[in-house]
């Protein structure tokens, strides 16, 4: 008889980033259903669903409750970095696993987290390279005032400045703020080669709408002349942005609905069958979907859901995901993913402009990154330069 | 261009800590950061100069496991510390570590300690370098004062003009004012000639005009 394994699903399906969180939770439901229908598995998942409503304290309380009182070993969830940082101590204390399924700014590798979303070498580095090559090296940066925007702007600045370019202005808005008019005036004055947008949610939609109005008045700021680029823009958000303004938006992402593959066609068909024909999947829903499937595969392999055994079985494992082959890196528990760049269309989809030839090793600390040669992909072990070693290594004298 | 993103790729770390779960975690995390590691325990009597950073166990005693004579402040030291007993903290501080990581170690905090320790070490070295220069200047101040006095007497000048003459002469000889003052006092007959030359060069000018003060402010 199939035994039930409780897993936590922790998504803020109400609150300021609920559009994204609902798409993420959908990815989890889809994968749980797939696992539970899999006849080769002698277990099934019983999801414990919590909505922390974007409140940090709720995140921590929910994790304490699940890990301490319900003895849950695995929780899939969190979207923002602040919520992830808030709950990691709980997972370390109870030695349980958090499956973090979203792109983020990197510079972390907890032993109690598996990261299935994109690392900075998957999102901001390929985007910077592409924008510099195709549009120029003067960027205008606007972002929501928290770590995601700060860190991405810093990486972008380093790449641009190392290549003779600059960030002409760097502006931050409070999360949820729609105060974007002064930015438009500033952009009109500065005439950047492109905009890098790290706004989230409502602020992003308001900003893109305001740029669209500028474009209607002055075609010199059109999407081909001064495109808006973004590392977190996904299909569900194009609904909020509208068809006109969606055209020409450039998004850096490891997943787009428009990927042509058998796995992706099946993923989208299942997604629509579950959530309606109008429902659209996103990179984050795919990352959640991947996380649940990898978890199930590891539990099947070791025959237990104990966190330690599952982690050991997860490192180095792989699945054929909608985006292509995904492998969990043995060193840092992030995933090999396939960077892509998409251009927004008016039908809530992206045309794929660039696609990495193969999955790229995650580099959360940008150890193998060189701002002067952003083209060099050094994340792949085979092309890594030899570590600097002294010719005559002195002996330690006892 | 200075990098905005700290990168320790290819750096070598010496870890003076017993082989246990903490040192294993430290090695794994440093490897992720591109750092080469060497774990040595017990601590050696001499430490090779090949390392960019040293991590050391601060819990073992009775004094610090790092002999102070081995540590010249040239590279960052990071203490690995579990206890908060005052005696251990005192031993830890005796070698001036530039960062500390708490036991039991977690992956989080190690990158931060590296960034922190490199910064503090660089800052401290900058201060030490300036201190050496300043101490030397203070030591030689009395000779500068003596030289000014002898120029004031010899040419009947006020202190500002005497200082300016001394400074001009040292500049024309291309040596620091303190060093010139020293030679002036040790052999006035020989070196006063240079001051004579400066005084006669400037004899047509009013020595107390503001331009002189302006000039020596630049020094």
């Amino acid at each position: 008889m199939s035994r039930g394994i409780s897993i936590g699903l922790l998504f803020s399906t109400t609150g300021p980033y609920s559009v994204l969180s609902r798409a993420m939770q959908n990815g989890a439901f889809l994968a749980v259903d797939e696992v539970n229908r899999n006849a080769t598995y002698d277990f099934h998942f019983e999801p414990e669903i919590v909505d922390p409503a974007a409140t940090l304290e709720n995140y921590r309380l929910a994790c304490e409750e699940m890990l301490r009182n319900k003895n849950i070993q695995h929780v899939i969830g969190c979207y923002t970095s602040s919520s992830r940082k808030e709950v990691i101590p709980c997972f370390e204390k109870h030695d349980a696993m958090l499956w973090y399924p979203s792109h983020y700014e990197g510079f972390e590798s907890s032993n109690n987290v598996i990261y299935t979303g994109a690392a900075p070498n998957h999102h901001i580095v390929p985007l910077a390279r592409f924008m510099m090559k195709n549009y120029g090296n003067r960027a205008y940066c606007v972002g929501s005032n928290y770590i995601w925007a700060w860190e991405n702007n810093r990486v972008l600045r380093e790449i641009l400045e190392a290549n003779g370019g600059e960030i002409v202005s760097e502006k931050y808005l409070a999360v949820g703020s729609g105060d974007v008019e002064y930015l438009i005036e500033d952009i009109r004055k500065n005439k950047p080669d492109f905009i890098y947008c790290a706004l989230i949610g409502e602020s992003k939609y308001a900003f893109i709408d305001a740029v669209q109005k500028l474009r209607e008045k002055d075609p010199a700021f059109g999407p081909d002349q001064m495109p808006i680029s973004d590392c977190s823009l996904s299909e569900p958000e194009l609904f909020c942005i509208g068809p006109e303004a969606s055209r020409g938006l450039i998004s850096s992402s490891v997943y787009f609905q428009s990927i042509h593959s058998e796995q992706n066609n099946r993923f989208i068909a299942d997604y629509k069958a579950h959530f309606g024909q109008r429902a659209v999947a996103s990179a984050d829903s795919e990352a959640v979907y991947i996380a649940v499937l990898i978890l199930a595969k590891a539990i099947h392999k070791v025959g237990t859901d104990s966190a330690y055994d599952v982690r050991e079985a997860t490192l180095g494992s792989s699945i054929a995901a909608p985006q292509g082959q995904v492998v969990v890196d043995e060193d840092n528990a992030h995933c090999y993913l396939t960077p892509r760049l998409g251009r927004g269309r008016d039908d809530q989809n992206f045309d794929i402009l660039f696609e990495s030839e193969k999955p790229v090793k995650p580099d959360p600390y940008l150890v193998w990154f060189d701002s002067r040669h952003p083209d060099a992909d050094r994340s792949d072990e085979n092309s890594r330069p030899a570590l600097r070693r002294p010719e005559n290594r002195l002996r330690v004298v006892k | 261009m200075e990098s905005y993103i700290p990168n320790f790729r290819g750096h070598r770390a010496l870890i003076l800590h017993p082989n246990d779960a903490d040192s294993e975690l430290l090695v794994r995390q440093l490897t992720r950061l591109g750092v080469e590691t060497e774990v040595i325990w017990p601590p050696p009597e001499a430490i090779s100069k090949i390392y960019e950073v040293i991590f050391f166990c601060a819990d073992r005693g009775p004094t610090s496991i790092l002999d102070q004579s081995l540590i010249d402040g040239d590279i960052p030291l990071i203490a690995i510390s579990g206890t908060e007993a005052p005696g251990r903290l005192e031993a830890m501080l005796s070698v001036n570590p530039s960062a500390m990581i708490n036991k039991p170690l977690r992956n989080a905090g190690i990158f931060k300690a590296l960034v922190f320790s490199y910064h503090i070490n660089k800052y401290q070295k900058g201060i030490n370098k300036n201190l050496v220069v300043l101490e030397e200047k203070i030591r030689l101040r009395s000779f500068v004062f003596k030289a000014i006095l002898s120029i004031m007497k010899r040419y009947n000048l006020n202190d500002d003009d005497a200082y300016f003459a001394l400074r001009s002469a040292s500049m024309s000889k291309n040596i620091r004012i303190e060093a010139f003052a020293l030679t002036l006092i040790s052999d006035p007959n020989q070196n006063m000639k240079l001051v004579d030359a400066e005084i006669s060069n400037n004899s047509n000018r009013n020595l107390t005009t503001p331009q002189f003060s302006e000039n020596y402010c630049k020094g």
Side-chain angles (χ1 to χ4, degrees):
Chain A
M1 202 189 112
S2 169
R3 73 199 147 98
I5 294 174
S6 287
I7 57 170
L9 301 183
L10 188 62
F11 298 105
S12 290
T13 49
T14 60
Y17 46 90
S18 57
V19 172
L20 301 158
S21 298
R22 280 197 292 270
M24 292 172 86
Q25 194 176 62
N26 285 350
F29 289 153
L30 202 61
V32 166
D33 193 50
E34 195 172 315
V35 168
N36 292 354
R37 280 187 287 110
N38 189 329
T40 62
Y41 290 166
D42 63 353
F43 60 88
H44 61 273
F45 284 150
E46 292 166 354
E48 175 85 20
I49 300 158
V50 182
D51 170 17
T55 305
L56 286 184
E57 197 190 2
N58 291 348
Y59 275 93
R60 194 170 43 78
L61 293 173
C63 287
E64 278 293 334
E65 169 69 12
M66 286 192 281
L67 305 185
R68 184 199 296 276
N69 297 336
K70 301 192 169 162
N71 199 27
I72 287 174
Q73 297 285 303
H74 302 276
V75 175
I76 298 101
C78 294
Y79 173 69
T80 61
S81 285
S82 50
S83 63
R84 185 188 68 257
K85 297 272 188 206
E86 182 77 14
V87 301
I88 283 176
C90 302
F91 288 87
E92 292 184 341
K93 185 167 69 178
H94 297 285
D95 208 8
M97 297 299 298
L98 172 68
W99 297 71
Y100 177 64
S102 182
H103 55 280
Y104 82 115
E105 66 286 345
F107 293 86
E108 186 185 290
S109 61
S110 167
N111 284 341
N112 293 74
V113 182
I114 302 289
Y115 306 79
T116 62
N121 70 313
H122 294 131
H123 53 70
I124 184 69
V125 174
L127 182 78
R129 186 192 300 159
F130 180 85
M131 298 311 285
M132 212 162 54
K133 196 176 279 175
N134 292 286
Y135 297 99
N137 55 21
R138 294 178 65 253
Y140 189 99
C141 292
V142 50
S144 292
N145 200 13
Y146 77 113
I147 193 164
W148 163 253
W150 303 333
E151 282 301 308
N152 279 340
N153 286 345
R154 212 173 64 105
V155 175
L156 182 61
R157 179 187 295 279
E158 180 158 343
I159 296 177
L160 293 178
E161 289 184 356
N163 292 280
E166 60 175 333
I167 286 182
V168 296
S169 185
E170 192 172 332
K171 296 282 193 297
Y172 295 101
L173 292 187
V175 174
S177 164
D179 185 16
V180 294
E181 279 311 317
Y182 79 102
L183 296 172
I184 301 302
E185 209 33 60
D186 202 32
I187 287 167
R188 191 208 291 272
K189 213 169 56 199
N190 277 294
K191 298 190 170 55
D193 293 330
F194 67 94
I195 292 172
Y196 173 65
C197 171
L199 293 166
I200 61 161
E202 298 299 330
S203 307
K204 182 190 309 201
Y205 317 143
F207 174 71
I208 292 174
D209 187 54
V211 173
Q212 180 63 18
K213 291 202 174 85
L214 169 67
R215 286 171 170 170
E216 282 161 11
K217 274 184 273 177
D218 188 347
F221 294 98
D224 294 329
Q225 287 73 28
M226 184 202 65
I228 300 174
S229 61
D230 193 307
C231 289
S232 68
L233 181 67
S234 62
E235 287 86 346
E237 297 189 292
L238 298 184
F239 271 118
C240 309
I241 291 165
E244 284 301 318
S246 290
R247 274 197 213 106
L249 296 175
I250 292 176
S251 174
S252 176
S253 179
V254 292
Y255 174 82
F256 291 110
Q257 279 204 139
S258 49
I259 293 167
H260 291 292
S261 74
E262 199 186 311
Q263 278 82 8
N264 190 38
N265 293 344
R266 195 164 56 81
F267 175 67
I268 291 171
D270 282 356
Y271 198 92
K272 288 185 186 300
H274 274 77
F275 311 110
Q277 285 306 305
R278 285 171 54 87
V280 289
S282 70
D284 296 318
S285 29
E286 197 234 15
V288 178
Y289 176 78
I290 291 171
V292 176
L293 293 187
I294 292 176
L295 167 61
K297 196 174 160 179
I299 291 174
H300 178 62
K301 186 178 168 189
V302 293
T304 165
D305 70 336
S306 117
Y308 180 83
D309 294 327
V310 167
R311 181 184 163 87
E312 290 299 300
T314 298
L315 297 177
S317 73
S318 69
I319 65 162
Q323 67 169 280
Q325 185 80 357
V326 168
V327 182
V328 184
D329 187 83
E330 290 186 37
D331 298 335
N332 58 38
H334 291 60
C335 290
Y336 281 73
L337 302 171
T338 306
R340 292 178 170 90
L341 294 161
R343 178 185 280 135
R345 304 195 307 226
D346 55 14
D347 65 346
Q348 286 104 41
N349 269 304
F350 291 91
D351 284 323
I352 295 173
L353 301 170
F354 160 83
E355 182 174 86
S356 175
E357 283 170 25
K358 55 182 175 50
V360 171
K361 183 179 164 71
D363 186 10
Y365 292 90
L366 292 175
V367 170
W368 303 101
F369 160 76
D370 183 344
S371 55
R372 267 157 284 200
H373 306 285
D375 274 332
D377 175 15
R378 292 180 161 170
S379 55
D380 190 325
E381 253 140 335
N382 298 327
S383 58
R384 278 181 182 183
L387 286 182
R388 179 164 55 86
R389 277 180 186 280
E391 292 291 354
N392 299 308
R393 229 181 139 136
L394 296 174
R395 297 302 310 158
V396 176
V397 185
K398 286 244 176 183
Chain B
M1 190 195 76
E2 184 143 1
S3 177
Y4 292 95
I5 300 166
N7 198 327
F8 303 100
R9 184 173 73 210
H11 287 214
R12 286 150 305 196
L14 172 63
I15 300 168
L16 300 174
H17 193 279
N19 254 311
D20 60 13
D22 280 321
S23 63
E24 275 173 30
L25 183 142
L26 180 57
V27 166
R28 273 202 307 275
Q29 181 66 0
L30 289 174
T31 306
R32 287 186 193 115
L33 301 175
V35 177
E36 286 185 46
T37 57
E38 192 160 3
V39 182
I40 300 179
W41 191 263
E45 281 164 26
I47 292 171
S48 142
K49 293 280 184 193
I50 64 167
Y51 305 104
E52 272 90 2
V53 56
I54 296 175
F55 289 82
F56 70 99
C57 176
D59 288 347
R60 302 300 177 103
T63 55
S64 173
I65 63 156
L66 283 175
D67 187 327
Q68 218 148 0
S69 64
L70 299 176
I71 305 304
D72 50 13
D74 205 36
I75 62 168
L77 304 179
I78 301 177
I80 305 170
S81 162
T83 175
E84 291 186 327
R88 296 316 310 144
L89 299 184
E90 191 182 7
M92 171 168 78
L93 292 174
S94 71
V95 293
N96 276 329
S98 38
M100 191 266 300
I101 46 179
N102 260 322
K103 278 205 265 195
L105 298 186
R106 301 166 64 216
N107 291 343
I110 293 171
F111 180 72
K112 197 186 292 182
L114 275 175
V115 173
F116 203 93
S117 70
Y118 276 62
H119 172 82
I120 294 293
N121 184 251
K122 188 178 162 197
Y123 178 73
Q124 194 63 50
K125 277 195 284 195
I127 289 178
N128 291 348
K129 209 171 137 190
N130 285 342
L131 263 186
V132 170
V133 174
L134 286 175
E135 278 170 358
E136 178 77 354
K137 278 197 169 179
I138 289 168
R139 201 171 62 79
L140 297 173
R141 208 75 253 187
S142 62
F143 300 115
V144 174
F145 184 62
K146 275 187 184 168
I148 289 172
L149 276 182
S150 59
I151 294 171
M152 283 169 73
K153 274 185 206 153
R154 184 179 171 106
Y155 302 102
N156 194 24
L157 293 175
N158 69 22
D159 55 341
D160 284 343
D161 293 337
Y163 179 83
F164 180 65
L166 176 69
R167 202 180 125 79
S168 304
S170 72
M171 279 167 72
S172 68
K173 233 190 145 190
N174 212 15
I175 58 173
R176 296 217 327 267
I177 192 165
E178 290 86 358
F180 182 71
L182 202 54
T183 58
L184 196 68
I185 293 159
S186 58
D187 189 359
N189 292 337
Q190 192 57 33
N191 293 301
M192 219 32 120
K193 286 177 193 162
L194 285 159
V195 184
D196 291 341
E198 287 301 320
I199 297 289
S200 62
N201 280 348
N202 290 313
S203 59
N204 296 332
R205 293 154 69 183
N206 181 354
L207 281 169
T208 50
T209 51
Q211 77 189 72
F212 294 107
S213 337
E214 195 186 309
N215 271 335
Y216 85 79
C217 280
K218 281 180 191 160

